[in-house]
Amino acid sequence: MNTPDEMLSRGLLTADQHHQISAWIHHAKTPEAIMQMPAPLWQALSLASVLMDVDSELTQPPSFDLGA
């Protein structure tokens, strides 16, 4: 499941926010273009990221367990 979908399933984004954010990301061709997302959408995405504690996943050491 990708992050915006998970945010929607957890009720952290509305269906409209999810649609708009997903469309923006789909059409953006570069990280710089994604950063140009309209402020209200960026704020919703940022808040949902904080509530999901997404940053904590980025600070964890990688897991090399391949489940074998």
Side-chain angles (χ1 to χ4, degrees), residues 2 4-5 17-31 33-35 37 41 45:
N2 73 37
D5 290 346
Q17 288 169 328
H18 176 267
H19 173 75
Q20 290 182 48
I21 290 167
S22 296
W24 187 275
I25 291 170
H26 177 75
H27 287 72
K29 302 299 181 199
T30 65
I34 292 172
M35 298 294 290
M37 186 181 301
L41 295 178
L45 186 62

Side-chain angles (χ1 to χ4, degrees), residues 47-59:
L47 177 57
S49 295
V50 168
L51 294 172
M52 283 181 57
D53 202 16
V54 170
D55 287 344
S56 71
E57 293 178 18
L58 300 175
T59 59

